[in-house]
Amino acid sequence: MQNVRRVTAHVLTGAPERLRDVRSGAAFDADAYSRMKHGDLDAIEALGGELARVLLADLPSLVSSPAAPVFPVAYLEVPPSCYFLADVVLRAVNERRHAAGTAPGRIVKVHKDSVTHTDYATATPEQRRAELSRIAFRLDEPIEGNAVVVVDDVRVTGHAEATILRALAGGRPASLVTAYVAVCDDDLARTPQVESALNQARVTSVLDLLPAIRAGRFVLTIRFLKRALASPDLARLVGECPRSVVEAMCAGAEATGPSFVTAYAEGMAVLEAALGGPGGPRDGGRGGPVGGISQVAHA
């Protein structure tokens, strides 16, 4: 595999509940990170904006190169939070490229044939390797000769990074860059539960996303969808959500496949009841990835 450059906005150290940035010594904003993972658009734009500034400062060639950069994101149907982070970073890069007269970059999908069955954030390194080994990744769009930037939220063990880079290497990109909101230092990386602590630092219930949902500052992520479908608060959530969000959740689950729907049968029954029963009207905004940024955030 060719050399890979890594860019990160924050290098984390400390205990999972008291993280700080190695460079600045300041406390890391775990609350914003937690909201970002669950689809809070204000948090996504804040953290994505930080990453974009670091990336553009470290790699000015992303603006000047005639070859348009590509930002691959791996998902099945409902995107992960890194899709929306990549969208924020891409918009910042394309704004600079437009001013420089260079062609715009784009997001490309790396197709996954299934989603993780376990909570990846709480898994051991061995469980992470086993989980990733059963998922097939397929790149359907050409990336040969392009600068490839893989945007992600956090790097803990590096297993997910290695998996996506293997899927991309066969596309013969001109260069490979990984860009993270946060990377754990070596000591912290030996504590994989740090990712779970980050995910739940602010969002202890799916109801915590209601202010963002009501304000139209929410995008559906696969983490939020899985957590909502398994939550005892789901009935209250759908009762207080706009119908369009409930439709997007139902459409996203159905698009992910029968095994996913079966795994969350009780939660699906709650969604279907809110929509008038099985076969009720579905919107889902299928103009892009299910739950995509064009569907909710820019409505």
Side-chain angles (χ1 to χ4, degrees):
M1 188 182 299
Q2 66 192 93
N3 290 335
V4 179
R5 181 164 180 173
R6 185 183 302 153
V7 175
T8 180
H10 301 276
V11 178
L12 302 183
T13 193
E17 296 78 18
R18 295 182 302 279
L19 296 169
R20 67 180 189 277
D21 189 305
V22 170
R23 296 163 180 161
S24 67
F28 178 64
D29 191 350
D31 283 12
Y33 183 95
S34 178
R35 290 186 292 110
M36 172 272 295
K37 286 288 288 189
H38 291 86
D40 184 305
L41 191 58
D42 289 338
I44 289 168
E45 291 186 345
L47 294 176
E50 286 183 358
L51 182 55
R53 288 189 289 274
V54 173
L55 184 65
L56 286 165
D58 282 7
L59 291 173
S61 60
L62 286 177
V63 174
S64 60
S65 173
V70 296
F71 291 72
V73 183
Y75 61 98
L76 198 163
E77 289 292 341
V78 181
S81 56
C82 59
Y83 177 95
F84 304 106
L85 287 170
D87 182 82
V88 173
V89 174
L90 175 62
R91 281 186 275 136
V93 170
N94 279 347
E95 183 178 350
R96 297 276 191 93
R97 288 183 67 86
H98 177 75
T102 48
R106 71 190 193 279
I107 290 177
V108 301
K109 180 178 181 180
V110 178
H111 179 79
K112 296 170 64 174
D113 67 356
S114 67
V115 297
T116 54
H117 293 319
T118 60
D119 183 355
Y120 189 80
T122 63
T124 66
E126 293 74 21
Q127 289 170 329
R128 292 178 182 221
R129 279 193 291 269
E131 191 75 60
L132 289 169
S133 68
R134 70 168 186 81
I135 300 175
F137 293 79
R138 184 185 72 244
L139 177 65
D140 290 335
E141 298 184 50
I143 61 172
E144 184 173 359
N146 293 99
V148 171
V149 182
V150 181
V151 173
D152 209 344
D153 35 51
V154 68
R155 185 185 192 276
V156 182
T157 62
H159 296 315
E161 176 186 283
T163 300
I164 187 68
L165 290 178
R166 280 195 297 270
L168 295 170
R172 295 186 292 183
S175 61
L176 279 169
V177 177
T178 57
Y180 290 97
V181 169
V183 169
C184 295
D185 70 5
D186 290 344
D187 289 339
L188 192 58
R190 297 188 188 99
T191 313
Q193 61 264 36
V194 64
E195 192 168 355
S196 180
L198 278 168
N199 290 346
Q200 300 187 59
R202 173 64 180 85
V203 180
T204 59
S205 163
V206 289
L207 298 177
D208 292 330
L209 270 294
L210 277 172
I213 291 170
R214 290 171 181 148
R217 301 291 293 167
F218 170 79
V219 286
L220 181 63
T221 69
I222 187 63
R223 171 162 293 279
F224 179 87
L225 179 60
K226 291 196 293 186
R227 189 166 177 183
L229 288 172
S231 173
D233 296 324
L234 180 60
R236 180 178 167 191
L237 177 78
V238 300
E240 299 188 35
C241 276
R243 183 181 177 91
S244 61
V245 174
V246 183
E247 289 174 345
M249 292 171 65
C250 197
E254 291 172 346
T256 301
S259 62
F260 185 87
V261 170
T262 300
Y264 294 99
E266 291 185 15
M268 288 300 297
V270 173
L271 296 185
E272 289 169 352
L275 295 173
R282 305 281 190 272
D283 181 5
R286 298 300 296 273
V290 177
I293 200 161
S294 61
Q295 163 190 325
V296 179
H298 293 169

